[in-house]
Amino acid sequence: MKKYLIALVPVTLLAVMGLRSTSHSAEKNLTVAYKFSEDDLKPTETQKKVEELVTQILTNYHYRRVPLNDSLSSKILDNYIKELDGNKMNFTKQDIQDFEQFRYSLDDQLQKGDLTAAYQIYNIYRKRAKERFTFVNQLLTKPMNFNIDEVYTPDREKAEWASNKQELDEIWRKAIKNTLLDWKISGKADSSAIKDLKERYSRSEKYFDKTKSEDVFQQYMNSFTESIDPHTNYMIPKAAAQFNQEMAQSFEGIGATLRLEGDYVTIIELITGGPAYRSKALKPKDRIVAVAQGENGAFTDIVGWMTDDAVKLIKGPKSTTVRLKILSGDAAVGSVPKEVRLVREKIKLEDGSAKKDILEFTNNGRSYKLGLITLPVFYRDFEGVRKGEGDFKSTSADVKKFLTELKAEKVDGVILDLRNNGGGSLVEAVSLTGLFIPQGPVVQRKHADGEISAEYDRDASVTYDGPLGVLVNRFSASASEIFAGAIQDYKRGIVVGEQTYGKGTVQTLVDLGRFLKGEPDNVGQLKITMEKFYRITGSSTQHKGVTPDIQLPSGFSAEEYGESSQPSALPWDMIATTKYTPSSDVNEQIVASLNKKYQEHLKSETDLKKLVADFDYWKKAKERKTISLKEDKRRKEIEEQKKRNSQDLAEELADVEKPEAKTEVKTDSVSIAQAKQKAAKERREKDAYLKETERLLTDYIFLAPSNGIKITQNKK
């Protein structure tokens, strides 16, 4: 499942709202005088038509209705340059000055289907990259002196562009020296390090030569679409086919969506229910630097590899082991990659289904029995619905069954864990809310034309009316935010955790082939934002997300993760509240008392104190922008970090499901189920966020002993 909600109806609306078919006439001339050389990549005639069509759709039907003007043109240029050379390692200041000629003309070119500037900039980038490959080969013929006291700054995003080729050479010299020093300290021989680094850049150069015109086109078009909003994207036919396959079929491997960002194959998304997701050792923006097969296979460095080639190493037959070296997306400068061990599986969408557990917990001198429902995604079998199947699989049906079972087991309260739940079906978000409240509005929707509507739970029955805790984190998004926001607004339960992602928009998939028929090439798809969500209070979930009643420590800042980290994200705003009747389960006094309890827990509970200390350490470590290139100093830096990491890494690896000792492995279904239950219980015991939610929910029950809980019925 993707981290956005898909609305299908507006796709058909585009066809009847006056969007004309696109065609080019011979009299349209290029506005930029540029002659492509024999070696240059060039746009196709089909791509020019797609560019013009996408421009029409975005300017007429995108929620934002951003005018195509000089201001947008400027953003597109900056985005494109950043997309190509975000770390400022290839272009020089003179190149950037030369590109200024396009700053206020890209808007005009988009309307005319003119891609000259896009390809001119890329071809210069291609030339500069080849110059870098030549420089690296020359540099690696000379010995490195690791006794000189100098420093390297890996993150150059905010640095000035190199003034000239000589300054760029110096930046690259330090980058290469940094890699060789790391390998030297890890025990790799100098000759082997030189050989491996030469192979890395030789491989990168070959990949560069394999880049096709359609790859350049997608990069440029997404520099355009993402200037309007981060969730609007153009997908070339190859990417669209992969997307459609992922939405419809099962996955095989570790269960992660990968993309090349700079030199690193980067995790974009974890497939719900897969090995990578369940390991809890990986997250979006983590970078894979090396891959090894089996328990003892040697690591292969994949920095600079194309994604397709890296995937060939990472994928493999189910039940086999793959080991990854991971550089965390939020790692401090100079961090040592951690090793993550995963067992490949065939992953089906149902692996993302809700799970139920019983938790035994003691607090305030009393034993409690709590129900835990873990919900990785909001799923709904739309095909089953279409066929009229009465027992089609859905989130609300599964959770309703669990709640009925938990009530029969006389639990004292229920925790609904929505951490890392990126969303899914809007219908299910509404239906799930309906299990906890009487009938009433759940979420409001504002369409691109300004029309506002509300989605209602129309079933007056309540499946569960007992104490409820909703656990969220920074990666709870979209449908998760709709549900958590509704529970909070109805004062139906307590929301605990981190501020959520802040994605309050809906995307529609548009098959561009419907408007460009008869083209020799497939034309791909456009994912476009056409709606925005609002809570029943009128507050948008966009940008701000849902702020928990009790906010737990977080290692993820809004500036780095979430919707608010995206410069082009739609803004937060408000519309009128809709009529609804909140319950009396939670009030300001209870929330204030629980926050007071939480402050006491911060001082007394070991797991929380360790969590806060770890976050403080890493925040300070991330403030360090340079690393030493002097061997003795670098060794000291690495040893200090290893001491800090060793215990945490051991705990992470212990959490990964491992087979029993080789002496005796029981493979019957009962033994496997018991082993999984044991591993899950051990992970829960080490889960500081879950433990604190258990404390707070039982504190809530203790503070409000009358919680039966009876809900005031909504007025129609």
Side-chain angles (χ1 to χ4, degrees):
M1 285 291 189
K2 295 294 175 181
K3 295 182 179 178
Y4 48 83
L5 301 184
I6 300 175
L8 298 177
V9 176
V11 178
T12 58
L13 293 179
L14 291 176
V16 297
M17 290 176 67
L19 183 65
R20 62 182 176 83
S21 296
T22 304
S23 61
H24 269 251
S25 54
E27 67 267 21
K28 289 198 173 184
N29 297 314
L30 297 175
T31 59
V32 180
Y34 178 76
K35 290 186 177 180
F36 290 100
S37 69
E38 188 67 29
D39 294 333
D40 282 347
L41 289 177
K42 310 171 187 67
T44 66
E45 290 303 314
T46 297
Q47 288 167 358
K48 295 174 185 177
K49 296 177 185 179
V50 172
E51 178 190 44
E52 189 173 350
L53 173 61
V54 169
T55 302
Q56 282 187 59
I57 294 174
L58 292 183
T59 52
N60 285 286
Y61 303 111
H62 189 279
Y63 180 89
R64 203 169 209 165
R65 301 288 173 88
V66 175
L68 196 60
N69 55 21
D70 289 353
S71 176
L72 184 61
S73 175
S74 181
K75 290 178 183 178
I76 295 169
L77 178 63
D78 290 337
N79 275 5
Y80 190 42
I81 292 172
K82 185 177 181 180
E83 178 75 15
L84 293 175
D85 193 13
N87 212 33
K88 300 177 179 175
M89 297 285 286
N90 289 281
F91 289 136
T92 64
K93 190 176 291 185
Q94 183 58 55
D95 291 327
I96 301 303
Q97 289 174 356
D98 291 343
F99 299 152
E100 284 297 310
Q101 64 180 301
F102 306 121
R103 183 161 296 279
Y104 302 116
S105 62
L106 296 181
D107 54 326
D108 302 314
Q109 294 183 37
L110 283 165
Q111 295 181 80
K112 297 176 180 178
D114 185 349
L115 288 160
T116 310
Y119 280 80
Q120 181 177 343
I121 292 172
Y122 181 82
N123 285 321
I124 292 172
Y125 169 70
R126 192 162 172 252
K127 180 181 178 183
R128 295 291 177 264
K130 286 181 173 290
E131 291 171 356
R132 293 297 100 210
F133 296 139
T134 301
F135 172 76
V136 169
N137 282 328
Q138 294 172 348
L139 183 67
L140 290 175
T141 62
K142 304 171 186 176
M144 290 280 183
N145 184 349
F146 298 110
N147 294 316
I148 300 173
D149 194 2
E150 57 183 355
V151 296
Y152 170 59
T153 305
D155 185 0
R156 289 184 39 78
E157 184 179 350
K158 296 181 181 178
E160 295 291 325
W161 292 97
S163 299
N164 48 47
K165 182 178 177 296
Q166 290 71 33
E167 191 175 320
L168 205 53
D169 287 348
E170 180 64 6
I171 293 168
W172 273 80
R173 181 189 68 80
K174 288 186 175 182
I176 297 300
K177 184 176 181 179
N178 174 62
T179 301
L180 291 174
L181 180 55
D182 277 346
W183 286 355
K184 181 181 178 70
I185 292 172
S186 70
K188 183 176 284 193
D190 291 349
S191 57
S192 177
I194 295 293
K195 177 177 175 291
D196 288 351
L197 204 53
K198 281 184 176 180
E199 287 180 357
R200 173 191 287 185
Y201 283 99
S202 174
R203 191 167 51 241
S204 295
E205 186 169 11
K206 288 177 182 177
Y207 289 145
F208 226 84
D209 291 337
K210 291 179 182 178
T211 302
K212 297 179 180 178
S213 175
E214 65 174 6
D215 300 314
V216 180
F217 181 61
Q218 180 170 255
Q219 273 189 305
Y220 178 66
M221 291 307 293
N222 282 328
S223 297
F224 167 35
T225 61
E226 291 171 17
S227 298
I228 297 174
D229 123 73
H231 303 291
T232 294
N233 307 105
Y234 167 72
M235 292 177 278
I236 57 176
K238 177 174 67 176
Q242 182 180 352
F243 169 81
N244 292 332
Q245 183 182 33
E246 288 180 357
M247 289 298 288
Q249 299 178 2
S250 61
F251 309 92
E252 194 168 291
I254 65 169
T257 301
L258 309 176
R259 183 173 70 198
L260 186 65
E261 293 192 349
D263 288 331
Y264 293 99
V265 174
T266 303
I267 294 173
I268 302 303
E269 183 179 10
L270 301 178
I271 305 303
T272 302
Y277 178 92
R278 293 200 317 273
S279 75
K280 297 187 178 180
L282 300 172
K283 61 182 181 296
K285 293 194 176 182
D286 283 354
R287 295 159 286 177
I288 304 174
V289 298
V291 181
Q293 307 301 326
E295 299 293 343
N296 303 305
F299 275 98
T300 299
D301 176 74
I302 64 165
V303 176
W305 283 39
M306 293 293 282
T307 307
D308 290 348
D309 292 311
V311 167
K312 290 175 185 176
L313 280 186
I314 297 168
K315 288 180 69 175
K318 66 178 182 179
S319 302
T320 59
T321 298
V322 62
R323 298 180 351 264
L324 309 176
K325 281 192 176 179
I326 299 293
L327 195 58
S328 176
D330 61 348
V333 168
S335 293
V336 178
K338 65 179 179 180
E339 182 177 327
V340 175
R341 176 191 174 282
L342 300 169
V343 177
R344 301 177 178 103
E345 295 178 5
K346 185 171 184 180
I347 307 137
K348 298 179 181 178
L349 292 180
E350 52 261 36
D351 291 330
S353 300
K355 302 288 189 298
K356 181 197 74 172
D357 292 288
I358 297 288
L359 308 175
E360 302 288 346
F361 193 76
T362 301
N363 192 14
N364 301 309
R366 176 188 160 188
S367 295
Y368 293 88
K369 184 191 285 187
L370 302 176
L372 172 66
I373 297 176
T374 305
L375 185 59
V377 71
F378 285 80
Y379 51 90
R380 182 178 178 86
D381 181 4
F382 289 101
E383 184 65 16
V385 175
R386 188 183 66 79
K387 291 179 179 178
E389 297 174 2
D391 59 345
F392 64 87
K393 189 170 183 60
S394 72
T395 302
S396 54
D398 289 348
V399 174
K400 183 174 184 177
K401 173 176 172 288
F402 291 154
L403 290 172
T404 302
E405 293 171 352
L406 290 171
K407 285 196 298 182
E409 295 185 59
K410 300 188 184 313
V411 296
D412 297 292
V414 170
I415 296 172
L416 197 60
D417 188 351
L418 296 179
R419 286 176 296 175
N420 303 315
N421 184 322
S425 168
L426 169 64
V427 174
E428 289 303 319
V430 174
S431 297
L432 185 67
T433 306
L435 301 180
F436 301 94
I437 66 166
Q439 61 190 27
V442 174
V443 64
Q444 299 188 82
R445 302 167 69 171
K446 185 177 179 182
H447 307 268
D449 60 6
E451 180 186 348
I452 296 173
S453 61
E455 299 293 332
Y456 283 81
D457 164 45
R458 301 187 184 279
D459 185 348
S461 65
V462 178
T463 302
Y464 176 73
D465 61 359
L468 174 66
V470 180
L471 178 56
V472 295
N473 69 358
R474 190 62 178 155
F475 300 103
S476 303
S478 200
S480 292
E481 295 173 297
I482 291 171
F483 174 80
I487 293 297
Q488 192 176 61
D489 293 338
Y490 273 102
K491 303 187 183 302
R492 176 59 191 85
I494 59 171
V495 180
V496 181
E498 303 169 89
Q499 181 183 351
T500 61
Y501 193 89
K503 183 183 181 298
T505 57
V506 191
Q507 283 69 47
T508 294
L509 283 175
V510 180
D511 182 358
L512 301 177
R514 295 181 60 184
F515 305 98
L516 286 172
K517 297 179 180 179
E519 287 299 314
D521 304 319
N522 196 342
V523 295
Q525 294 179 338
L526 179 68
K527 179 161 65 74
I528 177 174
T529 298
M530 297 184 73
E531 292 183 41
K532 202 170 177 182
F533 284 126
Y534 295 82
R535 292 166 66 161
I536 52 179
T537 59
S539 175
S540 172
T541 57
Q542 178 67 7
H543 250 301
K544 291 187 178 182
V546 176
T547 301
D549 298 307
I550 303 96
Q551 281 193 265
L552 303 187
S554 177
F556 306 108
S557 68
E559 292 74 25
E560 294 177 295
Y561 292 89
E563 194 78 1
S564 51
S565 68
Q566 305 288 342
S568 62
L570 272 66
W572 175 88
D573 63 342
M574 287 193 71
I575 59 175
T577 185
T578 189
K579 291 182 179 180
Y580 70 101
T581 305
S583 76
S584 57
D585 298 347
V586 180
N587 55 43
E588 292 181 4
Q589 289 75 22
I590 288 177
V591 172
S593 297
L594 290 175
N595 272 293
K596 185 177 179 181
K597 285 282 187 182
Y598 166 61
Q599 293 303 319
E600 294 172 3
H601 298 164
L602 281 173
K603 297 174 183 177
S604 61
E605 301 297 338
T606 304
D607 54 353
L608 281 180
K609 288 194 286 187
K610 182 179 183 301
L611 199 63
V612 172
D614 287 346
F615 287 154
D616 287 344
Y617 172 81
W618 287 112
K619 284 175 183 176
K620 290 177 182 177
K622 285 169 68 176
E623 292 173 0
R624 183 163 54 93
K625 301 300 182 186
T626 61
I627 52 179
S628 177
L629 294 179
K630 190 177 182 183
E631 186 174 350
D632 57 352
K633 285 189 175 182
R634 183 77 179 117
R635 283 184 183 277
K636 187 177 179 181
E637 289 175 355
I638 290 176
E639 286 304 315
E640 181 183 338
Q641 187 194 107
K642 280 184 176 178
K643 286 178 183 177
R644 184 79 190 189
N645 285 356
S646 57
Q647 184 178 354
D648 294 339
L649 182 57
E651 290 177 358
E652 284 181 5
L653 293 175
D655 283 345
V656 179
E657 293 180 20
K658 296 183 179 180
E660 300 293 329
K662 293 183 179 180
T663 52
E664 183 182 2
V665 179
K666 295 183 178 180
T667 58
D668 61 283
S669 59
V670 174
S671 297
I672 292 172
Q674 290 175 343
K676 287 186 175 182
Q677 287 177 353
K678 181 182 177 182
K681 183 177 179 181
E682 289 174 352
R683 283 197 297 271
R684 289 197 298 269
E685 287 299 317
K686 296 174 183 177
D687 188 338
Y689 291 100
L690 179 59
K691 298 299 288 185
E692 180 58 15
T693 305
E694 292 175 59
R695 292 187 198 105
L696 291 167
L697 183 58
T698 51
D699 283 337
Y700 169 49
I701 297 169
F702 183 79
L703 289 167
S706 62
N707 277 353
I709 284 175
K710 303 305 176 186
I711 301 174
T712 304
Q713 293 292 314
N714 276 14
K715 297 176 181 178
K716 291 187 179 179

